[in-house]
């Protein structure tokens, strides 16, 4: 952690400790989908042990978006029809949604926040498919969780967070700078602390912590998440309280083979279809 005043460090630690644990069943799903020896049977067994995840996956699978001709009533059929990756992403989305508060004193719009996070995750995954050494799953997870520190602030420091939201809306500046003024630290720090608590890989923690400064020691994951975050904001796929769209840095552009954010957007076909899928994930 950065060198912080002792009282602020204690306050952040207490807030992170008060957040719920990442569901064990979803952690296990992630482990299985990384295992080349995993079979559909193993994945089905893990999902079926969590009734909440099971019901929500079946609800999403049977939504109009997938337009299946026959209703799916079991997880094993869902895996067959939609594949490992779609089921895994649904499970991750369900876990993230389950940890969002329905109300908060900061008036932070959690529904719009979720759309932004899911669209960032989906765009990062798509970018990773054309970036050398980028792991598409890691990019999806880092994109999904990159702003989770805002959820912590909305719940445990709502007055300061609300003030920062209002300040950046008033002048169009970046939210992370307003948070540094009102709280003393921005959401990337507390988001990285939370990811460490949930025992995600250091690469993911670094991508969350470095999302505003990916130039130094930039990695493929950092590059994909940074660019995806800016594309999501520019296309207004949801809104997580930050109106400022950062330009592409030279380091990020070198990974993506692009000079500007418009170059990145031009390399992404059919973003409308991507956002339609995001809405399905958000409704799970």
């Amino acid at each position: 952690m950065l060198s912080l005043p002792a009282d602020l460090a204690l306050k952040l630690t207490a807030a992170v400790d008060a957040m719920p644990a990442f569901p064990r069943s979803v952690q296990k799903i992630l482990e299985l989908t990384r295992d080349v020896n995993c079979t559909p049977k193993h994945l089905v067994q893990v999902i079926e042990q969590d009734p909440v995840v099971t019901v929500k996956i079946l609800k999403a699978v049977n939504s109009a978006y997938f337009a299946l001709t026959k209703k799916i009533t079991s997880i094993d059929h869902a895996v067959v029809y939609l594949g490992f990756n779609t089921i895994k992403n649904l499970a991750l989305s369900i876990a993230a949604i389950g940890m969002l508060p329905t109300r908060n004193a900061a008036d932070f719009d959690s529904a719009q926040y979720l759309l932004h996070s899911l669209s960032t995750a989906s765009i990062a995954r798509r970018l990773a498919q054309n970036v050398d050494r980028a792991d598409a799953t890691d990019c999806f997870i880092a994109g999904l969780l990159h702003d989770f520190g805002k959820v912590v602030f909305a719940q445990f420091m709502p007055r300061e967070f609300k003030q920062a939201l209002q300040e950046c809306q008033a002048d169009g500046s970046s939210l992370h700078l307003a948070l540094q003024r009102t709280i003393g630290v921005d959401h990337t720090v507390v988001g990285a602390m939370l990811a460490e608590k949930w025992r995600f890989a250091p690469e993911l923690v670094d991508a969350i912590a470095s999302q505003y400064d990916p130039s130094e020691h930039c990695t493929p994951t950092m590059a994909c998440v940074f660019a995806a975050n800016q594309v999501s904001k520019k296309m207004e796929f949801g809104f997580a309280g930050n109106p400022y769209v950062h330009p592409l840095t030279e380091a990020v552009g070198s990974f993506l083979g692009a000079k500007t954010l418009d170059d990145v957007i031009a390399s992404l076909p059919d973003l409308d279809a991507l956002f339609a899928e995001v809405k399905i994930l958000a409704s799970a």
Side-chain angles (χ1 to χ4, degrees):
M1 188 193 299
L2 295 172
S3 179
L4 300 172
D7 57 341
L8 178 57
L10 286 173
K11 197 172 181 179
L12 295 177
T13 300
V16 168
D17 287 345
M19 290 295 290
F22 206 78
R24 179 57 194 152
S25 60
V26 179
Q27 291 275 22
K28 185 64 178 175
I29 291 168
L30 277 176
E31 292 172 10
L32 286 175
T33 53
R34 294 177 191 279
D35 183 354
V36 294
N37 297 314
C38 172
T39 67
K41 181 181 178 181
H42 291 141
L43 185 63
V44 170
Q45 287 174 340
V46 171
I47 294 174
E48 287 182 337
Q49 289 174 6
D50 190 322
V52 173
V53 173
T54 297
V55 168
K56 292 191 173 185
I57 284 178
L58 291 177
K59 177 187 171 188
V61 168
N62 287 300
S63 67
Y65 175 77
F66 290 108
L68 300 178
T69 56
K70 183 178 179 181
K71 185 175 182 179
I72 301 298
T73 57
S74 65
I75 292 298
D76 54 347
H77 284 165
V79 172
V80 169
Y81 274 93
L82 300 179
F84 269 28
N85 282 334
T86 298
I87 298 300
K88 174 195 66 187
N89 293 339
L90 277 171
L92 276 168
S93 304
I94 289 165
I97 293 167
M99 286 180 279
L100 293 179
T102 54
R103 293 181 180 179
N104 62 81
D107 295 331
F108 185 51
D109 190 331
S110 58
Q112 285 296 309
Y113 159 82
L114 183 62
L115 287 175
H116 169 72
S117 295
L118 285 168
S119 62
T120 299
S122 296
I123 294 168
R125 178 187 59 194
R126 190 176 287 185
L127 290 173
Q129 293 168 352
N130 295 314
V131 173
D132 188 33
R133 295 183 289 111
D135 183 290
T137 295
D138 283 351
C139 288
F140 183 89
I141 299 169
L144 182 65
L145 301 178
H146 77 284
D147 272 347
F148 223 92
K150 296 175 184 174
V151 177
V152 180
F153 285 154
Q155 286 187 271
F156 299 102
M157 301 177 192
R159 182 179 59 79
E160 300 95 326
F161 186 51
K162 185 173 184 176
Q163 182 182 341
L165 289 171
Q166 292 171 337
E167 285 185 8
C168 69
Q169 286 303 306
D171 62 13
S173 62
S174 182
L175 176 61
H176 80 292
L177 298 177
L179 286 168
Q180 290 171 6
R181 291 193 296 270
T182 60
I183 294 179
V185 70
D186 64 49
H187 59 287
T188 65
V189 174
V190 73
M193 291 170 64
L194 190 59
E196 283 186 327
K197 174 191 172 183
W198 287 338
R199 298 185 178 181
F200 281 104
E203 170 81 4
L204 293 178
V205 175
D206 289 344
I208 293 170
S210 303
Q211 62 181 277
Y212 288 104
D213 186 20
S215 296
E216 188 175 0
H217 309 302
C218 189
T219 67
T221 303
M222 290 179 191
C224 291
V225 173
F226 176 89
N229 187 16
Q230 309 317 315
V231 171
S232 176
K233 286 190 288 185
K234 186 164 184 174
M235 301 297 291
E236 299 182 343
F237 290 162
F239 183 63
N242 188 356
Y244 187 75
V245 178
H246 292 257
L248 210 64
T249 68
E250 185 175 346
V252 170
S254 67
F255 278 103
L256 302 179
K259 292 184 177 179
T260 68
L261 199 57
D262 287 336
D263 292 340
V264 178
I265 293 172
S267 74
L268 292 165
D270 208 357
L271 282 173
D272 288 340
L274 179 147
F275 194 50
E277 185 173 347
V278 161
K279 291 179 178 176
I280 297 298
L281 295 174
S283 66

